[in-house]
Amino acid sequence: MRSHNRLIGILLGLGLLVTLPLRVKAQSIEELRLMAQSGQRTEAEALIQQLIAQSKHPQDLHEEYGTWLMEWGDYAQAIEHYKASITKKHTKSLPKLAQAYHANAQFDKVLEVISRMGSKSVTEDLNLLKEYALRAQTMLDRSEWVEVIDSIRIDIDALPVLPSRYFSQDWGKLHRASEKSDEIEKLRTTGLIYETALGLEWFYERIGAMGDSDLFYALSLQGRLSDEQALNTLNTPENERYPILRQDGITLIFARESHDGIGGYDLYLSRRDPETNTYQTPTLLGMPFNSPADDLYLIYDDLRGVGLLASTRYCPKGKVNLYTFRINENHPAIPFNTLDEKRPIATLYPWRATQEK
């Protein structure tokens, strides 16, 4: 009864009681949006669902609710509301529907939606989304099976703080820049610093000459840092972040925000030439390591035989998933024929699907 009275009070405050006209004003939708954004998700959802049920023309409400669901990482439900918002005369949600399909790894549906739009309606962003979807659809079909053994969700601000139980000492360490205050002036970084197990090599990111985030490297000899070196063969006008060296001392994995990926930050791999100490042209990793969301870093602890992937896929805004998986150097393919069968394993959603053979 108390929660019912509270709902009535909220409705009264918004002027949205059912006895009033059912035409929802932009101001009312804005008030609902503010409720949802301020943490009152349950109340806001109850209100918008009630309004959708009562409205004769709920297209704007469906579109608004779909946008909330996208921010909460509930892509499948967002798709349903975007679809419900589209009629012959009301098609403005089509770009959002295409984006929701892409986030949910239904790449064939992305292409279908864009093909429904007239050429004048297909913007530069939608053409880029089409490129992402074509690339990602091939990647989905060729995805490898990675067995996830655990997953936790944390605040993205806590991303650098990894529990020591995850890795052996031979893996190395991740530091916040603030933890290295003595060296911070020389490194000029505010991001993460990866330090190899013996502490001899440091990899990090900072703003480069072009104003974007670039990758850098420095040696630590007898407790003193050498002059930094930009990893020029890896840096581009796009943003590069989170460089982490594998224990073989050759393989560097990092994240890049690029139109050559499949959306957001994608993970790339490059190998160092031991003779020249330069890195080869990087390779875009496949699924499940990459997704349409931000895939931020990938760590291999070869001694323990486990890896860790940090990704914002299927996460509410401000959160990140940490997936712990078994390392399998055989890279087994997913033994299913259809993309729908492959999708849960290739997206790690749900992650326990990767354990069901």
Side-chain angles (χ1 to χ4, degrees), residues 197-214:
L198 297 178
L200 298 179
E201 295 181 288
W202 290 22
F203 295 84
Y204 54 95
E205 69 200 55
R206 71 166 175 81
I207 301 302
M210 303 298 292
D212 59 302
S213 178
D214 286 337

Side-chain angles (χ1 to χ4, degrees), residues 172-186:
K173 297 177 182 177
L174 271 182
H175 302 283
R176 296 181 190 267
S178 57
E179 296 172 7
K180 294 292 185 179
S181 56
D182 292 342
E183 298 89 353
I184 193 67
E185 184 175 347
K186 186 166 187 176

Side-chain angles (χ1 to χ4, degrees), residues 21-93:
L22 293 177
R23 181 174 177 272
V24 180
K25 298 179 181 179
Q27 182 181 1
S28 301
I29 293 178
E30 178 62 27
E31 288 170 336
L32 287 172
R33 184 183 300 124
L34 290 173
M35 286 181 63
Q37 292 173 346
S38 65
Q40 297 175 279
R41 173 173 175 173
T42 302
E43 294 91 338
E45 283 194 284
L47 287 170
I48 200 165
Q49 288 169 359
Q50 183 173 356
L51 289 171
I52 286 172
Q54 294 166 352
S55 177
K56 293 181 180 179
H57 304 286
Q59 287 85 5
D60 287 339
L61 290 165
H62 277 297
E63 182 180 354
E64 178 67 22
Y65 194 16
T67 301
W68 299 359
L69 291 162
M70 286 293 290
E71 291 185 356
W72 295 334
D74 192 346
Y75 310 138
Q77 286 299 312
I79 287 168
E80 295 308 309
H81 284 279
Y82 284 143
K83 287 166 64 176
S85 75
I86 297 168
T87 65
K88 289 184 178 179
K89 295 183 179 181
H90 190 283
T91 60
K92 66 176 185 177
S93 297

Side-chain angles (χ1 to χ4, degrees), residues 131-140 142 144 234 252-271 280-293 295 298:
E131 290 180 21
Y132 286 158
L134 287 168
R135 193 176 295 123
Q137 185 165 265
T138 301
M139 194 179 286
L140 171 60
R142 298 175 180 175
E144 68 177 275
L234 305 181
L252 188 75
I253 300 173
F254 64 95
R256 174 184 288 166
E257 189 178 35
S258 168
H259 291 175
D260 294 328
I262 61 172
Y265 277 95
D266 296 296
L267 293 165
Y268 286 76
L269 178 150
S270 177
R271 289 188 170 85
Q280 300 172 354
T281 302
T283 301
L284 177 68
L285 293 181
M287 297 177 75
F289 301 115
N290 278 320
S291 74
D295 303 293
L298 177 61

Side-chain angles (χ1 to χ4, degrees), residues 62-278:
H62 277 297
E63 182 180 354
E64 178 67 22
Y65 194 16
T67 301
W68 299 359
L69 291 162
M70 286 293 290
E71 291 185 356
W72 295 334
D74 192 346
Y75 310 138
Q77 286 299 312
I79 287 168
E80 295 308 309
H81 284 279
Y82 284 143
K83 287 166 64 176
S85 75
I86 297 168
T87 65
K88 289 184 178 179
K89 295 183 179 181
H90 190 283
T91 60
K92 66 176 185 177
S93 297
L94 281 172
K96 292 184 177 180
L97 177 60
Q99 291 166 358
Y101 275 131
H102 189 67
N104 204 43
Q106 293 175 266
F107 307 119
D108 53 338
K109 298 292 186 180
V110 177
L111 303 175
E112 287 180 18
V113 171
I114 294 176
S115 69
R116 288 168 54 187
M117 303 173 67
S119 58
K120 294 182 179 179
S121 300
V122 178
T123 63
E124 185 177 339
D125 286 343
L126 284 172
N127 277 323
L128 178 60
L129 184 64
K130 184 178 179 179
E131 290 180 21
Y132 286 158
L134 287 168
R135 193 176 295 123
Q137 185 165 265
T138 301
M139 194 179 286
L140 171 60
D141 190 39
R142 298 175 180 175
S143 178
E144 68 177 275
W145 191 308
V146 173
E147 182 185 357
V148 176
I149 55 179
D150 192 20
S151 175
I152 62 171
R153 180 169 293 171
I154 63 173
D155 290 338
I156 199 164
D157 292 340
L159 187 60
V161 185
L162 295 174
S164 58
R165 64 184 173 85
Y166 273 107
F167 306 108
S168 65
Q169 292 182 349
D170 288 343
W171 171 76
K173 297 177 182 177
L174 271 182
H175 302 283
R176 296 181 190 267
S178 57
E179 296 172 7
K180 294 292 185 179
S181 56
D182 292 342
E183 298 89 353
I184 193 67
E185 184 175 347
K186 186 166 187 176
L187 295 181
R188 293 177 290 168
T189 178
T190 57
L192 295 183
I193 301 169
Y194 169 70
E195 180 184 358
T196 57
L198 297 178
L200 298 179
E201 295 181 288
W202 290 22
F203 295 84
Y204 54 95
E205 69 200 55
R206 71 166 175 81
I207 301 302
M210 303 298 292
D212 59 302
S213 178
D214 286 337
L215 305 182
F216 290 81
Y217 161 86
L219 287 174
S220 178
L221 302 173
Q222 297 181 343
R224 302 181 67 177
L225 285 177
S226 66
D227 291 337
E228 69 178 11
Q229 299 177 36
L231 300 182
N232 290 324
T233 56
L234 305 181
N235 292 329
T236 68
E238 310 294 339
N239 291 315
E240 283 82 24
R241 303 188 66 188
Y242 305 115
I244 295 176
L245 191 69
R246 198 165 173 179
Q247 284 163 288
D248 60 10
I250 294 174
T251 306
L252 188 75
I253 300 173
F254 64 95
R256 174 184 288 166
E257 189 178 35
S258 168
H259 291 175
D260 294 328
I262 61 172
Y265 277 95
D266 296 296
L267 293 165
Y268 286 76
L269 178 150
S270 177
R271 289 188 170 85
R272 177 164 54 183
D273 185 329
E275 295 184 1
T276 63
N277 203 36
T278 58

